[in-house]
Amino acid sequence: HSLEELQAYIAAKQADESCLFLGVFFKGEHIGNIKYEPIEKLIAQATMGILIGDKNWRGQGVAGEVIMASSLFLRDHYGINRILLGVEQENVAAVQAYSKLGFSKYKETSDGLYMSLDLNGVS
């Protein structure tokens, strides 16, 4: 994608009330993104996607910290109490990392594994 296309995409996501799109930075260095879309206030849930694009930061616990901090922000500011995500079953490391954060499997399909996190009682 061109820089202009990426800028337009980010602007559109920032204007969309059903989307929370955040950059992940360390000392001014962009290392990844996390996105919640759609945020469904009526049923108090949001679907999450995350990418730590800088390979030097993978496996360092950054994703878990970002997921939990942003999930609690959604709970406290949007009333969201359930986070959903999809992951490839073959990505054992990711499945284990999400499980360690409290996500549990709720559906398996030919497309992948779906997991959810209940934010009630999480501090």
Side-chain angles (χ1 to χ4, degrees):
H1 297 283
S2 71
L3 179 59
E4 293 79 17
E5 290 171 325
L6 289 173
Q7 289 172 329
Y9 174 80
I10 292 168
K13 294 302 172 189
Q14 289 175 330
D16 184 350
E17 291 183 16
S18 71
C19 178
L20 178 63
F21 186 55
L22 304 169
V24 179
F25 293 84
F26 180 77
K27 294 186 179 180
E29 177 187 0
H30 182 230
I31 62 173
N33 298 303
I34 188 166
K35 179 174 75 162
Y36 293 90
E37 181 182 36
I39 297 172
E40 300 174 275
K41 293 180 186 178
L42 291 177
I43 57 174
Q45 75 180 19
T47 301
M48 183 202 81
I50 187 166
L51 172 66
I52 302 300
D54 185 329
K55 293 178 182 176
N56 296 320
W57 286 96
R58 293 181 187 164
Q60 304 295 317
V62 173
E65 185 176 337
V66 170
I67 290 167
M68 293 313 296
S70 58
S71 294
L72 294 176
F73 175 85
L74 281 171
R75 182 192 66 194
D76 296 344
H77 292 87
Y78 290 77
I80 300 302
N81 60 31
R82 185 175 184 214
I83 304 297
L84 307 175
L85 63 83
V87 61
E88 293 181 8
Q89 294 184 49
E90 297 80 24
N91 190 344
V92 175
V95 173
Q96 289 176 342
Y98 293 135
S99 294
K100 185 176 178 182
L101 292 172
F103 283 85
S104 59
K105 300 175 189 180
Y106 75 90
K107 182 169 66 171
E108 291 184 47
T109 71
S110 59
D111 294 330
L113 177 65
Y114 295 88
M115 302 180 81
S116 68
L117 174 65
D118 181 359
L119 294 172
N120 292 316
V122 174
S123 55

